[in-house]
Amino acid sequence: SVVALARRYAGDNAHGRQVARLATDLFDATASTLGLPSSSRELLEHAALLHDIGHAVDHDRHQRHTYYLVRNSELLGFDPDEIEIMALVARGHRKQVPKPSDPEVQALAGSKRKLVRGLAALLRIADALDRTHFGVVKSVHVTKAAGRMVIEVDAGAENAELELWAAERRIDLLSRLLDRPVVLRAAPATPGRALVRRAS
């Protein structure tokens, strides 16, 4: 039902599929540190596949249209809280991050509020890492050392400078949740420079 909804509003959805791949790779590397249950990986993948369907309604504030479409479509096999989590995570992929004070977030149980913020933090970065929609980033590799987290971005022979720039602008929520700096770095074979955002 998720794939059918994505196809209905986003067609081939190559960008959604690329973002889902990167988001789940980031999840696999960070879930234990963020305290995210393994069962939430699927919710992140689905939110990533659906995160841009709001463009079918309007490009401006498309994230809010995505929230509405996810909440009000017939997604079979999910309970209401799972649908709300997917909708909130998808809505939080750009601009304003999901805040604990948001009424929709407050309506969820405490553990699910944390889940929304953690998954949204990963989706925000994954979406930025396909900023051009050209599938430039081939893989990401995450390491933790010396009180920081390093996300190494491998774009092969392609230039990922724009993706790194965009991701650096979306790294703040992850840094806050981890309470440590997050470093975005191009893999050696990829042009581009390392970018650092300090946790606030």
Side-chain angles (χ1 to χ4, degrees):
S1 61
V2 168
V3 171
L5 182 61
R7 186 180 298 118
R8 177 180 177 187
Y9 290 105
D12 175 68
N13 199 27
H15 171 64
R17 288 184 281 110
Q18 167 76 347
V19 172
R21 184 178 66 80
L22 295 173
T24 51
D25 285 349
L26 289 170
F27 179 93
D28 293 341
T30 62
S32 60
T33 307
L34 288 168
L36 300 174
S38 58
S39 58
S40 63
R41 185 183 191 273
E42 183 181 71
L43 297 179
L44 173 61
E45 181 178 11
H46 296 329
L49 288 170
L50 297 171
H51 79 281
D52 263 358
I53 63 173
H55 277 298
V57 178
D58 186 47
H59 291 295
D60 291 333
R61 296 163 60 91
H62 74 269
Q63 71 277 8
R64 293 191 173 273
H65 298 299
T66 293
Y67 174 76
Y68 178 86
L69 290 172
V70 174
R71 276 197 84 206
N72 293 283
S73 298
E74 283 195 29
L75 289 174
L76 304 176
F78 301 99
D79 65 39
D81 274 0
E82 289 173 328
I83 292 172
E84 184 70 14
I85 289 167
M86 289 188 291
L88 285 168
V89 171
R91 188 181 76 180
H93 81 272
R94 68 188 292 266
K95 293 194 175 178
Q96 290 188 330
V97 301
K99 298 181 183 128
S101 58
D102 291 344
E104 299 89 349
V105 177
Q106 283 191 330
L108 295 169
S111 62
K112 291 176 180 176
R113 295 176 204 168
K114 178 182 176 183
L115 190 62
V116 166
R117 284 169 61 78
L119 297 180
L122 300 177
L123 179 56
R124 290 170 68 79
I125 296 170
D127 179 52
L129 288 175
D130 195 40
R131 178 69 177 81
T132 60
H133 292 209
F134 290 152
V136 169
V137 175
K138 311 308 179 199
S139 65
V140 291
H141 180 67
V142 179
T143 56
K144 308 174 199 77
R148 65 180 185 168
M149 176 172 284
V150 178
I151 302 175
E152 190 172 78
V153 177
D154 183 3
E158 298 190 66
N159 189 329
E161 187 172 345
L162 183 57
E163 282 74 13
L164 285 166
W165 174 83
E168 191 271 340
R169 293 166 61 90
R170 302 258 188 97
I171 209 76
D172 53 340
L173 179 57
L174 182 61
S175 291
R176 288 201 303 271
L177 294 177
L178 293 170
D179 193 28
R180 71 183 70 181
V182 175
V183 178
L184 285 163
R185 177 181 298 151
T190 306
R193 55 189 175 83
L195 297 168
V196 180
R197 177 88 169 206
R198 297 292 177 186
S200 53

